Amino acid sequence: MTAPGLSIWSHPELLSALAAEDWGAVLRTYRRLSGLSQTKVGERVGLAQPDVSDIERGRRRVTSGEVRQRIVGGLGAPVHVAEPYRAPVAGLVLPGPGPDADLLARITGATEATHKADAATLDRLDRLLAEHRSAEDLIGSRPLVGLMRQQLRAVVDLFGSARGPLAGRVVRLAAEHAQFLAWMAQDQGQTAAALAWYDRSHDWALEAGDADMAATTLSMKAHMAWSGGQGDRAVRLAEAARWSAPDASPGVRGMAAQMAARGHSLNGAGDHAHRLIDEAQGLITRASEHPEDEPAWMYFYGETWFTLQRGMIAMHLRDWPDAIGHLRTGLAKLEAPYRRDRTWYGCCLAHAYAGAREAAEALTVAVPLVPDAATIGRPHSWNELHVTAAALMRRGAKEGRLLADALGQYD
């Protein structure tokens, strides 16, 4: 047996199985080296124990990129081993350093302008970005990635002809586009691409003197850490967003407080989490009284959103009744067109029911969500349903196997 951690991934037998993409051998070898059971490995990769057994015995093939990513990520493969299995977003990750190697040169004027920058053009680009943000809320990120990348190119092409205040405005608009591309990469589980875009957005925001965007990029990195189960990192990044931009708007400061609350909830620090979510809601309420003073990307916060966030915090704290109550209330108020958000929070509700040992309710909520989780909800909602199925099966509930079978039709 080898001690868990990086030393496992230095074992030639495990590396050989991964190189051959023999996922059954990967699971078997990892379990032998780590001493973990099929159930424990399943918990790490978001698969039910019978699914782990079927993969190990060759009765089930792993064809889904998301499942491959869950295996290498859940088993802690180091970056140089896991990277080939982190599929890039089409049209987003290009060869060379960073998300797009020529954009930095273009934004600093290394290429000649092909379009003329004027206030009217920038106004139209502002409106177009706002429309795309709203569209992404409804249809998800995948259809918009290529379009937004082209739109960012159009923005940076304006820099060479921009003069005076217009030049700063172009850089600020580029930062907003990069932040949106980062969010879309994050939504699709493309961590490396998202971090690269957030870094680019943060740099441009600092150059433009945009405290709101600089703080937002740090808050969104905190969100990524929370998504990856890294409570301490989420708290540190959220606190950095707060102290590094004291002049940010109340709404942006509220976002940072809310991200810190998420991190503390992951760590089981309920008092800190509840105090910060209350502080966040107070700041957002202040922001709603003067929306003209808030940046354009702060449009989505409101009472319903905070109800859902309180449900998420309760879920992390394993306060299942409180989680169920808040998530049900929030979902009832969330408009039907918001399919992605309804799918995500619905999957969390199913998880909360499973945690409360209400297996029938968990299955009733989860099964109708499977088609949307398999499409616009990958990887986050999809993984949450796998976690729910595994939780049900660990408790011996037949509903866990039924949910796993429903998921298997789309894996």
Side-chain angles (χ1 to χ4, degrees):
M1 184 184 299
T2 306
L6 181 59
S7 57
I8 285 181
W9 287 100
S10 66
H11 197 285
E13 187 176 346
L14 184 57
L15 291 173
S16 175
L18 185 62
E21 298 193 39
D22 184 342
W23 300 102
V26 168
L27 294 174
R28 286 194 307 273
T29 305
Y30 186 91
R31 287 200 309 105
R32 176 168 55 80
L33 294 173
S34 66
L36 294 177
S37 66
Q38 289 182 340
T39 298
K40 290 296 184 183
V41 166
E43 291 174 9
R44 294 190 177 192
V45 302
L47 290 171
Q49 181 273 327
D51 292 326
V52 175
S53 176
D54 286 347
I55 293 170
E56 288 190 2
R57 294 172 179 270
R59 292 197 292 256
R60 174 180 170 183
R61 296 179 58 206
V62 176
T63 58
S64 163
E66 283 83 0
V67 174
R68 291 196 291 268
Q69 290 177 49
R70 287 210 305 271
I71 291 173
V72 295
L75 299 184
V79 172
H80 72 279
V81 172
E83 196 60 37
Y85 303 96
R86 303 186 193 281
V89 179
L92 180 58
V93 182
L94 301 181
D100 191 339
D102 74 335
L103 281 179
L104 186 58
R106 294 159 75 87
I107 199 66
T108 54
T111 59
E112 294 184 4
T114 56
H115 304 285
K116 182 180 179 181
D118 55 54
T121 298
L122 296 181
D123 286 344
R124 285 193 290 271
L125 287 167
D126 272 332
R127 291 194 297 271
L128 196 56
L129 178 57
E131 291 172 2
H132 287 146
R133 286 192 184 108
S134 296
E136 195 264 346
D137 287 337
L138 301 177
I139 65 175
S141 59
R142 293 179 188 274
L144 293 173
V145 170
L147 177 62
M148 293 312 302
R149 191 170 178 277
Q150 292 176 15
Q151 193 165 308
L152 175 56
R153 285 185 178 276
V155 171
V156 299
D157 278 343
L158 295 172
F159 184 77
S161 67
R163 297 293 181 269
L166 286 180
R169 188 174 170 191
V170 170
V171 178
R172 182 177 292 109
L173 190 56
E176 291 187 29
H177 279 73
Q179 182 269 335
F180 189 38
L181 279 164
W183 162 251
M184 291 193 290
Q186 178 180 340
D187 181 56
Q188 296 174 50
Q190 305 300 324
T191 303
L195 287 172
W197 279 116
Y198 279 133
D199 286 343
R200 184 63 55 83
S201 176
H202 187 78
D203 287 348
W204 283 339
L206 293 176
E207 182 180 343
D210 189 342
D212 288 333
M213 179 52 72
T216 296
T217 56
L218 292 173
S219 288
M220 296 312 296
K221 282 187 174 183
H223 175 67
M224 289 184 65
W226 166 80
S227 297
Q230 300 172 300
D232 289 338
R233 178 173 167 79
V235 171
R236 288 195 300 269
L237 286 165
E239 292 299 332
R242 303 179 78 192
W243 61 254
S244 66
D247 296 331
S249 75
V252 171
R253 298 201 309 274
M255 176 197 288
Q258 174 262 325
M259 294 297 178
R262 283 182 169 185
H264 282 299
S265 69
L266 273 182
N267 291 338
D271 290 344
H272 289 308
H274 290 305
R275 174 179 58 80
L276 283 163
I277 198 66
D278 288 342
E279 179 182 340
Q281 189 157 10
L283 285 164
I284 297 295
T285 299
R286 280 178 50 196
S288 68
E289 296 169 357
H290 297 283
E292 69 279 3
D293 295 333
E294 292 296 319
W297 60 88
M298 291 298 299
Y299 62 91
F300 56 89
Y301 287 96
E303 182 180 350
T304 297
W305 189 88
F306 271 102
T307 299
L308 292 165
Q309 291 306 302
R310 291 180 185 278
M312 296 289 298
I313 287 172
M315 189 173 73
H316 290 314
L317 295 171
R318 298 182 178 274
D319 183 349
W320 304 119
D322 194 46
I324 291 168
H326 278 106
L327 290 169
R328 286 185 60 183
T329 299
L331 280 164
K333 296 179 180 178
L334 194 60
E335 296 178 12
Y338 291 96
R339 286 174 56 205
R340 183 191 59 198
D341 288 349
R342 290 187 64 82
T343 300
W344 165 245
Y345 290 114
C347 292
C348 292
L349 177 59
H351 184 175
Y353 274 126
R357 299 179 180 271
E358 298 183 37
E361 289 81 358
L363 184 68
T364 298
V365 170
V367 169
L369 298 172
V370 169
D372 278 349
T375 51
I376 62 172
R378 285 183 185 262
H380 305 295
S381 297
W382 188 245
N383 291 348
E384 193 71 11
L385 288 182
H386 278 279
V387 169
T388 300
L392 290 169
M393 295 183 75
R394 285 197 303 274
R395 295 184 171 94
K398 66 180 184 303
E399 287 84 357
R401 181 70 260 175
L402 294 173
L403 178 55
D405 289 344
L407 294 168
Q409 297 177 25
Y410 290 85
D411 262 333

